[in-house]
Amino acid sequence: MTTGPENPSSQPAGTGRPLLFLDVDGTLLPFGGSAGPSDDGDNPLLAGLDAGHGRRLAALPCDLVWATTWMHDANEVLAPRLGLPSLPVVDWPDDEDDDGRLHWKTRRLVEWAAGRRFVWLDDEITDADRRWVAGNHSAPALLHRVDARRGVTEEDHRLVARWLSGPIEPRP
């Protein structure tokens, strides 16, 4: 199920602002060299969080959605550090992808998007996910793989901003 907006699948296909699904570990919290000891018992990767991401993400012409195993903890721990409001959270089903080729988030994100354009930022996206979304989602989607060692970069922010601001290409 979902939190935030009413059931997103109840929205007419293709309406509303685009969505930006945000992963956390390896995406907003890079794995490479930024982690350090934590005085207050928080996740040591939080030392690598760039608070400036919040301002850049909030400025994008889209609706931000947590798409992470952090689930609701992302609103409690990360949103305040990023200066973001509480965001909708994708709740994950208990079962994973049964054929193992797709990322376990892929089908759920397409279902959650309910025909809306979307961007998915994650460090585990593969070409199999891109092909599946292209064949099973009626609106344009940008599945952008982030380098987990560096996390989201300025280049990633620019690419997402260009895609969101570009012309909407009709799907065949």
Side-chain angles (χ1 to χ4, degrees):
M1 303 309 255
T2 61
T3 61
E6 295 300 312
N7 180 3
S9 61
S10 67
Q11 298 173 351
T15 65
R17 287 171 22 121
L19 299 167
L20 194 160
F21 293 115
L22 287 166
D23 179 46
V24 172
D25 292 321
T27 304
L28 292 176
L29 298 178
F31 293 132
S34 298
S38 174
D39 295 335
D40 58 4
D42 284 335
N43 181 325
L45 290 175
L46 288 172
L49 180 66
D50 177 352
H53 286 314
R55 176 185 46 78
R56 291 184 292 272
L57 291 166
L60 293 170
C62 63
D63 295 332
L64 303 174
V65 179
W66 293 119
T68 173
T69 56
W70 281 63
M71 309 239 340
H72 299 280
D73 289 342
N75 279 323
E76 294 175 26
V77 177
L78 296 168
R81 285 177 164 91
L82 293 167
L84 293 173
S86 184
L87 302 176
V89 175
V90 177
D91 286 330
W92 305 112
D94 291 331
D95 58 335
E96 292 188 12
D97 181 56
D98 51 341
D99 67 11
R101 291 178 295 147
L102 293 180
H103 191 285
W104 57 270
K105 295 178 182 177
T106 306
R107 285 186 172 96
R108 181 68 179 126
L109 294 180
V110 167
E111 177 185 307
W112 211 96
R116 289 169 67 179
R117 293 175 65 214
F118 73 84
V119 175
W120 175 21
L121 292 177
D122 203 302
D123 61 312
E124 297 180 346
I125 295 168
T126 67
D127 287 338
D129 300 305
R130 289 182 185 99
R131 284 189 301 272
W132 193 89
V133 170
N136 292 279
H137 185 61
S138 60
L142 172 65
L143 280 64
H144 183 64
R145 185 176 181 138
V146 172
D147 181 339
R149 293 165 299 168
R150 295 182 303 156
V152 175
T153 64
E154 281 301 318
E155 183 179 323
D156 296 323
H157 281 290
R158 284 191 299 270
L159 177 117
V160 169
R162 276 193 310 269
W163 189 86
L164 288 167
S165 300
I168 299 174
E169 299 176 18
R171 296 296 291 257

